[in-house]
Amino acid sequence: MFSKLVSAAALIVALLSSAGGPALAGAPRDRHPGARAPALAHAVSPGVVTQVGQIVVMEGDAEIVTDLGGDDYSIDAMENIGMRFFLTYPDEFDGIAVFTTFPDLAQGGAAYALILNSGVSGVGGEGGAAPQAFGSAGRLISMINMNDVNNYGAMDATDGYFHSVFGQEFGHTWLSFMEFIDPATQVRSSELLGRDGAHWSAIFDSGASVMDGWSYIDNGDGTFTARSYADRYGPLDLYAMGVYAAAEVGPMFIIRDARYQGSGAAVDPVNDGWSGAIGPGTVLTGERFDLDIADIVAAEGPRTPAWDEDNEDFRIAFLLITRHGERADEPQVMERVAKLEVGRVAWEHTHREWTMNRSTMCTDVSAPCPLAFAEIDTIEVSEDPEGADRDGIIEPGERIRVAAT
């Protein structure tokens, strides 16, 4: 199918904090900190903003970085970063990914996503902060804090941790908040959900979703073997993201009364999936409970906009925030910029792979983004019946017909 060039209105998810601001969603194996509300949109200074390659470097100052003393820093005003960015760049970005040259202590060193109001319904947890608080008129759907660049490895195609964290934080734009109606009892259930009600449960066969998800092998004897963890977007993820139609999600299951084979200890569906208690090869016992997308739609309603009406081509800016007094041209900053250049390009490829070549991710901030692509399975070339001798042989000078599907 052809990717669609529809203006993005997708921003999302999780419950609003009592202060009315965006909830936070954290990286794999990191607990979520509490939510905090952004201030109302206000004037910020332009600061010192430099573009190196396709990476935006913002030199830290009191408006965007809090100096805690002793070379400790925190970012407490993501909205100021967004507003400063849009003083220089057009409102043509679906997301801003913030990285730092220092450990950001504000959220305990975790990566997290701020929940913005997307206008998407049918995926659970509708609501969130207005993009205007971050300087966007409405297109911005994702504000991510990935924390210190040095938390990650090479950030290339082999750096699975970087891709799983980035994929999860971007995924929080829509995920994971969906509940279902139990077809047997007609009672609403949150059994799909795990950590903070914003990630998948350890007992849900999510297809190894980056949202803390596992995939399981049903051994057919009441036991289930954990296969892989958090290394892709699963079918239900792709539905929530607007990439899959409902009919493409396929059957799903959870493991009720899940216990560890041998010890008989109960599985903690909230924490055991991401904490390391479950690993590849771990065998669980329990009762398989099957469900399908209709059970989720019964609880949440159909996804709106529908998959064929929503944006699938995204643009995200990679920002590097420095310490106070740390300049963009200093060697340690340039080293991190080079690493981010590798990471942004690698993520473009990973995003396209994880979305089954149906969605694009552009991380260029000033260079033109590539045009939407077409996924072509087969090409057939034949004689044009109206301009050929119809002998089944394509000859020089004959008109041809090309069919691509």
Side-chain angles (χ1 to χ4, degrees), residues 177-260:
F177 310 98
M178 289 180 280
E179 299 183 347
F180 66 93
I181 299 297
D182 186 323
T185 64
Q186 295 301 301
V187 174
R188 189 181 183 100
S189 173
S190 61
E191 291 172 278
L192 293 174
L193 303 181
R195 180 166 57 108
D196 301 301
H199 303 80
W200 296 132
S201 165
I203 61 170
F204 171 40
D205 178 39
S206 67
S209 161
V210 291
M211 313 308 293
D212 284 6
W214 279 93
S215 65
Y216 290 96
I217 299 171
D218 184 344
N219 299 316
D221 59 359
T223 66
F224 305 83
T225 302
R227 179 165 48 187
S228 56
Y229 171 74
D231 61 7
R232 70 197 68 192
Y233 289 129
L236 190 55
D237 301 342
L238 295 174
Y239 167 77
M241 294 169 70
V243 175
Y244 268 11
E248 295 179 276
V249 175
M252 297 169 280
F253 70 87
I254 57 177
I255 307 169
R256 284 181 167 168
D257 192 26
R259 297 181 177 274
Y260 292 98

Side-chain angles (χ1 to χ4, degrees), residues 25-43:
R29 305 186 186 277
D30 286 320
R31 294 184 182 275
H32 283 194
R36 69 184 189 281
L40 295 176
H42 56 273

Side-chain angles (χ1 to χ4, degrees), residues 49-132:
V49 178
T50 306
Q51 183 177 323
V52 184
Q54 294 299 315
I55 305 300
V56 175
V57 181
M58 286 189 183
E59 297 185 11
D61 59 34
E63 285 187 326
I64 62 173
V65 176
T66 302
D67 186 346
L68 303 175
D71 201 34
D72 288 336
Y73 298 91
S74 66
I75 292 178
D76 301 295
M78 286 279 281
E79 69 275 15
N80 285 358
I81 293 173
M83 287 188 284
R84 181 171 291 182
F85 174 81
F86 286 116
L87 289 177
T88 302
Y89 293 90
D91 190 7
E92 297 175 355
F93 293 83
D94 303 294
I96 295 174
V98 171
F99 295 80
T100 60
T101 63
F102 53 88
D104 174 12
L105 302 182
Q107 306 300 331
Y112 62 88
L114 293 176
I115 306 308
L116 275 62
N117 187 356
S118 65
V120 173
S121 62
V123 296
E126 287 79 20
Q132 289 81 0

